[in-house]
Amino acid sequence: MSHDPRLTPLIAALPATVPFVGIETLERQTGVTIKARIGANESGFGPSPRAIEAMSRTAAEAWKYPDAECFHLRHELAQHHGVGAENIVIGAGIDGLLGTLVRLTVAPGYKVVTSKGAYPTFSYHVAGSGGELVTVPYRDDHEDPEGLIAQMHAVRPKLVYISNPDNPMGSWHDASAIQRMIEAIPEGTLLVLDEAYFECADPSLFPPLDTSDKRVIRMRTFSKAYGLAGARIGYAIGDAEMIAQFSKIRDHFGVSIIGQEGARAALADQDWLHKVRAQIAGSRDRIAEIAAENGLSPLPSQTNFVAIDLGRDGDFTRAMVRELHMARIFVRMPGVAPLDRCLRVSCGTEADMDLFAQELPGALQRAQT
Amino acid sequence: MSHDPRLTPLIAALPATVPFVGIETLERQTGVTIKARIGANESGFGPSPRAIEAMSRTAAEAWKYPDAECFHLRHELAQHHGVGAENIVIGAGIDGLLGTLVRLTVAPGYKVVTSKGAYPTFSYHVAGSGGELVTVPYRDDHEDPEGLIAQMHAVRPKLVYISNPDNPMGSWHDASAIQRMIEAIPEGTLLVLDEAYFECADPSLFPPLDTSDKRVIRMRTFSKAYGLAGARIGYAIGDAEMIAQFSKIRDHFGVSIIGQEGARAALADQDWLHKVRAQIAGSRDRIAEIAAENGLSPLPSQTNFVAIDLGRDGDFTRAMVRELHMARIFVRMPGVAPLDRCLRVSCGTEADMDLFAQELPGALQRAQT
């Protein structure tokens, strides 16, 4: 087969699919302006006012290249988490860090284990490096640590991915289940523990950070409870040897000066974070209530979203996503069966929830016809 | 040789060198706080006040994921340049775009042609993809199009890189020389035309944009004359087929919402850009004057910096960089001989220039001993 001779064969063979279609793209496609933005697990409660202030102030400094080492943010995060600064690398969001990590560990033909229906951007990066995905089904709407361990021993992958708490289902495992998974990692395999929703969840979900353990790398972000998705700041925590590898290929000046200062201020304002945690918990309850009022089953969640079981198939859920979009509400849904019987609704403001409560019954009715 | 079994062999073999050590890193190493930041070709004249205002305003919106398509900025750039939106991809600076482009085109063992001493970050990305660099020496402090063409036909590389005007020397070729290079490109090779300093230079340096031409991709940025290095916004202009490939592996949500809005406002304020162009030209003259007053030879430049020929070797220039740093002035220098007989001084404010004029004689004296 002939292909554009400028491209590598790997790239030429890659599909042009994207992991997520953005809300603005959908708005342009439909001509409908979204009012309740409760589909991307953003934090409608906003970032700390101190973070906003820091970013506004830093705007005038934007002529300077960012600090390539993210020195201050990295050291402040290290102190916050009780690890060394050499155990943290900052990136432009977990998405970017996952991309770099995959390039560090996966060459064409290498195997990677993940759950069927787990974070599409991780799988996208694996495909971009020519890795071969081996998937394990969810079990009762949870990622399946035992199944992942079994596959891990069967195929000896370079990476095993799990998110805890989980996206897109909101389900979780306690720290002991995750620790069992870590203990089962064979040499040459690295566990990617995506903890994007760390700040939304109970501490009992998280094994203590052990940066001497070379079997696991943990991903955290300012995009969720900290409310800074648009500023692009995430970080990885791991053993110093692996963290140092990132600097062999990462985009050194790629984390914006404004984002670095915003994240520092957000981290310093733990009071705001605690307030947002309470708002998230309240909003989860409200989503569950609205679901129940409509005869639907909300799944338990330790994230900033709730998966609502609509009790039908993926086509019905897709119809619901469309109907809600036409009613100016942006929500998303899992990509594969049987998870795709659920609607994924992000926490949001009272106004967001009111609109959702108001529009859900009509959308259900229209989607049924 | 045994290596960390978690890594690919390519990564394990990569050196841990970084393309540039950042100014803040150097400050921390020396304990000296820099006063005149004239080493990274940033724009000390700052971004447009309208860009600052737009970024400040957008800070409160930072809880939203950025538009993955950078729709507005992309369309406004397309209109500005008279090309289609499908001919432009936005990235987090040229550095990031070069990284993505290299991954699209270069697999281990593929050849890439560049000039010896040209942009280190490009070479860094090539190494990160396992590409094999073939270098052509500069000729009279200019990149050598004829030499690059000859190597291109000898090794049939995937990429040929040239910057025009050039970094680190500030020299340039006129549009016809570049066009001759484009015409000489064989099938399967792509010319990477880095025009980071486009806004600082005379229009006669640039062949007209021809987005039907699949032999060339052009890189532009908001980091230089637009004064937004810290906001991370660059873009590539090319044929629609190549531009579309970026979306197969790029970090879709990686361009911050604040940077997108800052760049849009900067682009809309062409009056500010014209003012900055005049300031850059004035500052180039001032740097040349200061050099001449100290018996040194400034090289002609169409960028926002001037290479000053110190007339000695690289060791002497390195000593000068150190001496100026100790005098609170940050400058850089080319990495290889014979270019490294030059000091690279960025344009800056009157205060920056005054300090440079004041400290240069003493630094020269100290470096000689």
Side-chain angles (χ1 to χ4, degrees):
Chain A
M1 288 233 302
S2 84
H3 66 75
D4 188 331
R6 299 173 296 180
L7 306 173
T8 68
L10 168 65
I11 298 296
L14 278 182
T17 53
V18 302
F20 289 104
V21 180
I23 174 170
E24 291 81 7
T25 305
L26 294 168
E27 285 181 324
R28 287 187 287 268
Q29 285 168 1
T30 59
V32 173
T33 303
I34 292 299
K35 220 171 145 184
R37 197 173 159 117
I38 48 174
N41 303 341
E42 300 164 331
S43 184
F45 311 111
S48 155
R50 287 163 63 179
I52 295 174
E53 193 277 321
M55 292 189 288
S56 297
R57 182 170 27 80
T58 309
E61 306 288 308
W63 60 275
K64 298 175 184 168
Y65 278 99
D67 177 11
E69 297 186 315
C70 302
F71 183 89
H72 295 294
L73 177 58
R74 204 156 44 84
H75 280 76
E76 287 154 10
L77 281 168
Q79 186 164 35
H80 182 75
H81 290 302
V83 300
E86 71 278 12
N87 300 118
I88 294 183
V89 58
I90 316 276
I94 290 180
D95 282 2
L97 288 163
L98 286 175
T100 306
L101 177 64
V102 166
R103 291 181 56 211
L104 290 174
T105 55
V106 178
Y110 288 22
K111 289 192 171 58
V112 173
V113 169
T114 185
S115 300
K116 193 179 175 198
Y119 195 47
T121 306
F122 175 72
S123 305
Y124 164 83
H125 287 310
V126 172
S129 277
E132 201 181 299
L133 276 176
V134 179
T135 59
V136 173
Y138 275 62
R139 196 171 169 158
D140 299 329
D141 298 325
H142 289 65
E143 294 198 64
D144 177 9
E146 301 308 319
L148 291 165
I149 290 171
Q151 272 300 349
M152 189 163 81
H153 288 125
V155 308
R156 298 296 292 259
K158 296 296 288 186
L159 298 175
V160 181
Y161 174 92
I162 190 169
S163 62
N164 189 46
D166 176 64
N167 178 17
M169 301 308 279
S171 55
W172 65 91
H173 295 283
D174 64 20
S176 61
I178 300 296
Q179 191 61 44
R180 270 199 306 280
M181 222 179 136
I182 296 173
E183 300 301 335
I185 300 285
E187 191 179 341
T189 296
L190 180 65
L191 176 66
V192 186
L193 180 51
D194 187 337
E195 299 175 329
Y197 299 93
F198 173 77
E199 292 82 7
C200 309
D202 191 274
S204 64
L205 273 60
F206 307 99
L209 293 169
D210 175 4
T211 54
S212 71
D213 194 333
K214 298 191 170 189
R215 298 170 297 187
V216 60
I217 188 165
R218 299 164 79 149
M219 298 285 173
R220 304 278 176 92
T221 184
F222 284 88
S223 295
K224 302 302 175 188
Y226 282 113
L228 289 173
R232 314 309 305 133
I233 304 278
Y235 56 106
I237 309 175
D239 65 285
E241 203 178 308
M242 177 55 79
I243 293 299
Q245 303 300 318
F246 279 76
S247 288
K248 288 183 172 177
I249 57 167
R250 74 185 178 95
D251 181 12
H252 287 264
F253 295 89
V255 182
S256 84
I257 193 170
I258 299 165
Q260 290 188 37
E261 291 307 308
R264 291 180 67 196
L267 183 67
D269 193 353
Q270 292 291 310
D271 287 350
W272 180 265
L273 181 65
H274 290 135
K275 216 174 89 178
V276 170
R277 278 176 63 96
Q279 288 173 305
I280 288 171
S283 188
R284 279 194 303 238
D285 289 348
R286 180 82 198 279
I287 296 169
E289 240 174 68
I290 297 167
E293 283 164 13
N294 286 272
L296 307 171
S297 307
L299 274 54
S301 168
Q302 293 227 27
T303 62
N304 70 347
F305 62 86
V306 174
I308 300 176
D309 187 342
L310 303 181
R312 308 275 293 263
D313 62 2
D315 286 340
F316 181 74
T317 312
R318 269 181 288 280
M320 279 297 291
V321 169
R322 272 195 307 273
E323 289 299 338
L324 287 167
H325 182 99
M326 298 316 286
R328 318 221 290 173
I329 296 168
F330 173 61
V331 296
R332 281 206 175 113
M333 60 179 285
V336 302
L339 315 183
D340 63 1
R341 73 190 195 284
C342 293
L343 201 62
R344 199 193 68 176
V345 182
S346 307
C347 295
T349 62
E350 289 293 318
D352 291 338
M353 293 300 112
D354 290 347
L355 189 64
F356 180 58
Q358 179 192 307
E359 296 293 341
L360 183 58
L364 281 165
Q365 203 159 44
R366 289 191 298 278
Q368 267 153 7
T369 62
Chain B
M1 288 232 302
S2 83
H3 67 76
D4 188 331
R6 298 173 297 180
L7 307 173
T8 68
L10 168 65
I11 297 296
L14 276 182
T17 53
V18 302
F20 289 104
V21 180
I23 174 170
E24 291 81 8
T25 306
L26 294 167
E27 286 182 323
R28 288 186 286 267
Q29 284 169 1
T30 59
V32 174
T33 302
I34 293 299
K35 221 172 143 182
R37 196 172 161 118
I38 48 174
N41 304 342
E42 298 165 331
S43 185
F45 311 111
S48 155
R50 286 164 63 178
I52 296 174
E53 193 276 322
M55 292 188 288
S56 298
R57 182 170 27 80
T58 309
E61 306 288 307
W63 59 276
K64 297 175 185 170
Y65 278 99
D67 177 10
E69 296 185 316
C70 302
F71 183 89
H72 295 294
L73 177 58
R74 204 155 44 83
H75 280 77
E76 286 154 12
L77 281 168
Q79 184 164 37
H80 182 75
H81 290 302
V83 300
E86 71 279 12
N87 300 117
I88 295 183
V89 57
I90 315 276
I94 290 180
D95 282 3
L97 288 163
L98 286 174
T100 307
L101 177 64
V102 167
R103 291 181 57 212
L104 289 174
T105 55
V106 178
Y110 287 23
K111 290 192 170 59
V112 172
V113 169
T114 185
S115 299
K116 193 179 175 199
Y119 195 48
T121 306
F122 176 71
S123 305
Y124 164 83
H125 287 310
V126 172
S129 278
E132 201 182 299
L133 275 176
V134 179
T135 60
V136 173
Y138 275 63
R139 198 171 168 158
D140 299 328
D141 299 325
H142 288 65
E143 293 198 63
D144 178 9
E146 301 307 320
L148 290 165
I149 289 171
Q151 272 301 350
M152 190 162 81
H153 287 126
V155 308
R156 298 295 293 259
K158 295 296 287 188
L159 298 175
V160 182
Y161 175 91
I162 190 169
S163 61
N164 190 46
D166 175 65
N167 178 17
M169 301 309 279
S171 55
W172 65 92
H173 295 284
D174 63 20
S176 62
I178 300 296
Q179 192 59 45
R180 271 199 305 281
M181 224 179 135
I182 296 173
E183 300 301 335
I185 300 285
E187 190 179 343
T189 297
L190 180 65
L191 177 66
V192 187
L193 181 51
D194 187 338
E195 299 176 329
Y197 299 93
F198 172 78
E199 292 82 7
C200 309
D202 191 275
S204 64
L205 274 61
F206 307 98
L209 293 170
D210 175 3
T211 53
S212 71
D213 194 335
K214 297 190 169 189
R215 296 170 298 187
V216 58
I217 188 165
R218 300 164 79 151
M219 299 285 174
R220 304 278 176 92
T221 184
F222 284 88
S223 295
K224 302 303 175 188
Y226 282 113
L228 288 174
R232 314 309 303 133
I233 304 278
Y235 56 106
I237 309 175
D239 64 286
E241 202 178 309
M242 178 54 79
I243 294 299
Q245 302 300 319
F246 279 75
S247 288
K248 288 183 172 178
I249 57 166
R250 75 186 177 94
D251 182 10
H252 287 266
F253 293 89
V255 181
S256 83
I257 192 169
I258 298 165
Q260 290 188 37
E261 290 308 307
R264 292 180 65 195
L267 182 67
D269 193 354
Q270 292 291 311
D271 287 349
W272 180 264
L273 181 66
H274 290 137
K275 216 174 89 179
V276 170
R277 279 176 62 97
Q279 288 172 304
I280 288 171
S283 188
R284 281 194 303 237
D285 290 347
R286 181 82 199 280
I287 296 169
E289 238 174 70
I290 297 167
E293 282 164 14
N294 285 272
L296 307 171
S297 308
L299 273 54
S301 168
Q302 292 226 28
T303 62
N304 70 345
F305 62 85
V306 175
I308 300 177
D309 188 344
L310 304 181
R312 307 275 292 264
D313 63 1
D315 285 340
F316 181 73
T317 312
R318 267 181 290 280
M320 280 297 292
V321 170
R322 271 195 307 273
E323 289 298 339
L324 287 167
H325 182 99
M326 298 316 286
R328 317 221 293 176
I329 295 167
F330 173 60
V331 297
R332 282 208 175 112
M333 61 179 284
V336 303
L339 314 182
D340 63 1
R341 72 192 195 284
C342 293
L343 201 62
R344 199 193 68 176
V345 181
S346 306
C347 295
T349 62
E350 289 293 320
D352 291 338
M353 294 300 113
D354 290 347
L355 189 64
F356 181 57
Q358 178 193 307
E359 296 293 342
L360 183 59
L364 281 165
Q365 203 159 45
R366 289 191 299 277
Q368 266 153 7
T369 61

